[in-house]
Amino acid sequence: MQDQAKRLTKQPKRSAVIDRPATVRVWATALIALAVLALALPFAILTFGERPPLRGGMWDFSMGLGFGALALAALQFALTGRLRWLTHPFGADIVYYFHRYLSWGAVALMLAHFGILYIWYEPALGELNPLEARWELTSGRLALLCFVALIVSSEFRKLLRLKYEWWRYLHLGLAIVGFAAAVAHVLGVGSYTATWDKRALWVGVTVGWVGLLIWSRLGRPWLQSRNPWRVVRNTPHRGGVHTLELEPEGQALRFWKPGQFAWLSIGRSPFALKEHPFTISTAPERGPNLSFSIKPLGDDTAELVKTSVGTRAYVDGPYGAFSIDRDEGAGGFVMIAGGVGITPIKANLNAMQARGDPRPVVLFYCNSDWDSVAFRDELDRMKDDLNLTVVHVLEDPPDDWEGESGYLDGEILARHLPDESRDWPHLLCGPTPMTEAATKALREQGVPANLISNEVFEMV
Amino acid sequence: MRKLHARLLALALTLLVVALAYALAFLTGP
């Protein structure tokens, strides 16, 4: 026990400084500037270095698009490498969302690179048959196929009935083969990489990319494997939700904020690519044990909720920016949750309870029916310690229901929100149609867009 | 809002690359 007490995590001053809006803003701007520089670098070297003889505007335009697309593709490895210094100002959830849209851009440019050559310089593409074609051109086509397959398999994963874990293997495999083929294509074609500075650029990019891969797929899992956790409790709740409590066998998690999440790997090796992101529901003041509330929504989560006590687990975190700690000066909070989207909201409420935070909170909690309302008793009990109003909104209410019913809309919000709440931060987490409708209604009622935070939890 | 910002930033960076490629091909000489 004494050992545990020593490991007990306290809120350090450091974490407050890095969460201040001004710090976050400067940090985010610096990272965006870094991304712009990373994208401009290949062009700077192409422009100021020794150039190959020009072949005509559209040819050079196509080459530029190809190089730029590859620079965008290289950036994706940084975005998905779970680098805390990179995700901190934005929140890891939105960085994945950004990765998704930037990938569309990269693939569009690759298609444009190929399309321009196909339309204006078709003879230069040579044979399509890989047995007869130049290897470096086949390599380019293979890269293009891999990147298109990456987008299709991610956008239509559910339609293709691809299991999440298989999708992750496929995603990583296609990304590695695609990027390697693209670099081989650039070096093989060679006309823009003949000089040392250009070769150094692409070799440098490749080394950085391989380094990131080694770190995120081998280095970090290795560190995790040396710091295991153990499941000490599995508590079922309404709506099929289970809360797993984990105890550290080694070092406890440090510096997490309420509402943040961690990647959890239970009963499997941390190298297995089978971890899932879950909100840490324990208040930072109540460590070192961590609780995670999980709803069996499919694939692996149905197995996870059956986890028995004593099972080994690995935790990678914390990540995310969906936290009351990002709004220190707020006079109160409006929170809107749909279904299992309650978990990061409840984590924030747990922290307010642990801290004796007196600020008012109005929570709208949307569910299909009364029996599926997870944590409804716990939320009820929280009202004793918090200045908390819970407004349940049920799609399919029981006959004697006197509360709100149907879908959350502007009228329901207006009935329960005090005027001063327009100046409070609004934290939203739930299915996309619900959060989008709520955001629209809040905007119509005069809530500034910068006061509405939306945790993105459905990616592929 | 965060989603919109993410989409706009992705679009802006993609267009930046198009602009740089255009400048490379049509505006700068050897």
Side-chain angles (χ1 to χ4, degrees):
Chain A
M1 276 312 282
Q2 211 171 12
D3 190 36
Q4 277 203 0
K6 267 188 209 161
R7 290 186 307 219
L8 195 76
T9 321
K10 289 206 172 103
Q11 276 295 86
K13 281 210 158 42
R14 176 176 94 89
S15 66
V17 175
I18 63 169
D19 280 328
R20 275 184 200 147
T23 316
V24 167
R25 225 170 291 136
V26 171
W27 195 331
T29 310
L31 285 173
I32 292 169
L34 197 65
V36 169
L37 280 178
L39 293 178
L41 188 66
F43 291 97
I45 291 180
L46 282 173
T47 307
F48 300 114
E50 196 183 315
R51 279 174 72 155
L54 286 178
R55 292 195 50 173
M58 285 312 274
W59 175 274
D60 285 339
F61 184 45
S62 164
M63 295 303 133
L65 290 178
F67 279 113
L70 192 54
L72 280 175
L75 212 58
Q76 309 300 321
F77 287 96
L79 294 177
T80 54
R82 285 189 226 157
L83 305 169
R84 225 164 279 143
W85 58 267
L86 191 149
T87 58
H88 174 81
F90 312 102
D93 60 324
I94 210 71
V95 171
Y96 277 98
Y97 193 79
F98 175 61
H99 155 62
R100 173 181 169 185
Y101 284 103
L102 199 61
S103 303
W104 286 13
V107 172
L109 297 188
M110 282 174 204
L111 288 169
H113 162 68
F114 182 76
I116 289 172
L117 295 179
Y118 189 78
I119 294 168
W120 280 284
Y121 306 94
E122 213 234 325
L125 294 174
E127 286 290 324
L128 186 66
N129 181 351
L131 295 174
E132 295 169 22
R134 283 161 58 195
W135 71 268
E136 66 271 25
L137 299 187
T138 301
S139 194
R141 290 187 191 106
L142 173 67
L144 190 60
L145 270 180
C146 286
F147 289 123
V148 170
L150 273 172
I151 300 262
V152 171
S153 60
S154 305
E155 293 297 328
F156 304 106
R157 179 180 78 85
K158 284 180 184 155
L159 205 70
L160 296 168
R161 296 187 183 175
L162 201 56
K163 283 184 82 175
Y164 177 74
E165 57 199 85
W166 286 110
W167 169 79
R168 284 198 70 191
Y169 288 128
L170 181 73
H171 204 73
L172 183 65
L174 285 172
I176 291 174
V177 174
F179 195 76
V183 171
H185 168 66
V186 169
L187 295 175
V189 171
S191 59
Y192 285 80
T193 53
T195 55
W196 70 268
D197 51 349
K198 298 182 181 93
R199 259 201 305 271
L201 169 75
W202 292 111
V203 170
V205 167
T206 310
V207 167
W209 161 68
V210 172
L212 254 176
L213 262 182
I214 290 175
W215 161 246
S216 61
R217 303 297 164 203
L218 297 172
R220 188 171 33 215
W222 179 76
L223 283 180
Q224 280 175 256
S225 71
R226 292 169 56 87
N227 192 33
W229 295 64
R230 201 162 43 87
V231 177
V232 291
R233 201 162 293 135
N234 181 345
T235 317
H237 307 277
R238 272 197 191 82
V241 175
H242 283 240
T243 297
L244 301 182
E245 187 182 332
L246 274 60
E247 185 183 72
E249 287 187 354
Q251 209 180 7
L253 193 73
R254 299 169 69 205
F255 308 129
W256 83 90
K257 321 283 177 355
Q260 283 198 299
F261 65 87
W263 290 80
L264 199 57
S265 177
I266 295 185
R268 284 162 174 159
S269 155
F271 294 95
L273 275 185
K274 288 191 174 171
E275 70 274 37
H276 290 262
F278 294 110
T279 305
I280 305 164
S281 45
T282 315
E285 292 79 2
R286 297 276 160 86
N289 283 14
L290 296 181
S291 292
F292 297 88
S293 296
I294 299 166
K295 185 166 184 169
L297 288 172
D299 291 3
D300 276 2
T301 43
E303 289 299 312
L304 281 180
V305 295
K306 296 180 198 157
T307 303
S308 47
V309 168
T311 308
R312 272 274 169 92
Y314 301 93
V315 175
D316 175 25
Y319 298 99
F322 191 74
S323 178
I324 51 167
D325 284 6
R326 289 272 170 125
D327 299 289
E328 264 182 340
F333 295 93
V334 176
M335 301 185 182
I336 299 176
V340 73
I342 190 68
T343 52
I345 301 266
K346 192 176 137 295
N348 279 298
L349 292 174
N350 284 344
M352 292 181 83
Q353 196 178 23
R355 296 168 184 177
D357 194 325
R359 290 178 289 180
V361 179
V362 183
L363 166 65
F364 295 88
Y365 187 13
C366 310
N367 281 282
S368 54
D369 57 78
W370 190 231
D371 287 334
S372 61
V373 183
F375 306 115
R376 71 177 200 217
D377 300 328
E378 211 176 328
L379 289 168
D380 229 23
R381 283 196 296 274
M382 277 182 171
K383 288 184 199 162
D384 298 338
D385 300 325
L386 289 172
N387 185 354
L388 172 68
T389 309
V390 182
V391 181
H392 288 285
V393 185
L394 299 178
E395 264 175 60
D396 184 16
D399 292 338
D400 56 349
W401 180 249
E402 289 178 356
E404 298 291 358
S405 57
Y407 292 110
L408 182 67
D409 59 16
E411 283 179 28
I412 297 177
L413 289 167
R415 265 200 289 279
H416 300 275
L417 287 176
D419 285 346
E420 65 268 25
S421 72
R422 285 194 193 94
D423 299 326
W424 299 347
H426 291 62
L427 303 177
L428 279 62
C429 188
T432 307
M434 187 212 83
T435 53
E436 280 180 356
T439 303
K440 191 164 168 272
L442 290 169
R443 295 284 291 126
E444 282 167 3
Q445 289 174 19
V447 178
N450 65 342
L451 288 178
I452 303 173
S453 300
N454 189 351
E455 179 81 341
V456 185
F457 75 97
E458 231 173 10
M459 284 293 159
V460 286
Chain B
M1 196 63 190
R2 294 165 76 223
K3 280 184 176 179
L4 179 68
H5 282 160
R7 277 185 223 174
L8 287 177
L9 185 59
L11 181 66
L13 290 182
T14 306
L15 291 178
L16 169 77
V17 169
V18 175
L20 288 169
Y22 183 85
L24 177 84
F26 299 107
L27 304 180
T28 63

